Amino acid sequence: MGTVRSSDAFHSNRINLKEPTMLMQILSHTPTWVFALFAGLLWLGGKQMLARRVKLARITLVALLMTGLSVAGVWLAFSGTAAALPIWALAAAQVATLVSRRPLPQGTRFDTATQECVVPGSAVPLALMMGIFLTKYTVGVLLAMQPALAQQLGFAVGLSAAYGLFSGVFVGRALRLWQLALRMDRETGLQAA
């Protein structure tokens, strides 16, 4: 059995990693800003692995930015598929609801004096950021190689649901902290009265 030529690698539904020209072509055609975005997300996600104090506005901003990246992935790749955005929204809403109902990690608290959340370090945000980035990058590469994939309903629906899942986790995690902050503010207000 011979090796698959790089031009035929996608059509055979497998990439021969022994043939480095395919990977090198993909990387060489990747815009520089994509590598900068990857480094920025890696840095931001890495910071989340340390315990920290953070304002709710920053937590909300990260959730909104990652949700925006997710929606952009769906819109840019599957705008021709009517089900894409509704599937994304449904997945995001369901996962956000589930995550927002889960208990906060031990050690999480809200400091009413400084209006900051004290959160333990976690690898989850890094994993989510890398998940969204790598999904978006992989979809971009696949669609550049075979644009017709965007018209396949199963491909569009599956990836829209995956993007929604990522967004839902970010939003659900932010909602949990907002719920904690509101509860602590209410309790502090009742104690002062």
Side-chain angles (χ1 to χ4, degrees), residues 35-188:
F35 296 107
L37 177 62
F38 177 77
L41 290 173
L42 197 57
W43 174 79
L44 183 61
K47 284 181 58 173
Q48 312 276 325
M49 294 178 72
L50 303 172
R52 66 206 181 284
R53 298 175 74 87
V54 62
K55 297 275 187 194
L56 284 171
R58 182 179 173 100
I59 291 166
T60 304
L61 180 62
V62 170
L64 290 174
L65 286 173
M66 296 312 297
T67 297
L69 187 58
S70 176
V71 170
V74 172
W75 179 254
L76 292 172
F78 309 117
S79 60
T81 304
L85 283 176
I87 291 293
W88 173 88
L90 181 64
Q94 287 181 337
V95 171
T97 300
L98 289 171
V99 171
S100 70
R101 292 179 179 165
R102 291 183 47 87
L104 286 163
Q106 188 173 353
T108 304
R109 61 186 175 81
F110 182 72
D111 186 338
T112 56
T114 63
Q115 294 291 296
E116 292 177 321
C117 293
V118 178
V119 293
S122 172
V124 171
L126 175 61
L128 292 170
M129 289 176 191
M130 292 298 100
I132 291 173
F133 177 86
L134 293 174
T135 300
K136 187 165 176 11
Y137 184 80
T138 302
V139 169
V141 169
L142 289 173
L143 291 178
M145 294 171 75
Q146 277 220 334
L149 281 174
Q151 306 309 315
Q152 291 184 5
L153 186 61
F155 186 76
V157 166
L159 285 165
S160 296
Y163 281 128
L165 181 140
F166 289 128
S167 296
V169 174
F170 268 107
V171 170
R173 289 169 57 92
L175 285 173
R176 286 190 309 186
L177 293 172
W178 274 98
Q179 292 164 353
L180 173 65
L182 293 172
R183 188 173 65 244
M184 295 304 296
D185 278 343
R186 219 175 14 253
E187 289 174 9
T188 303

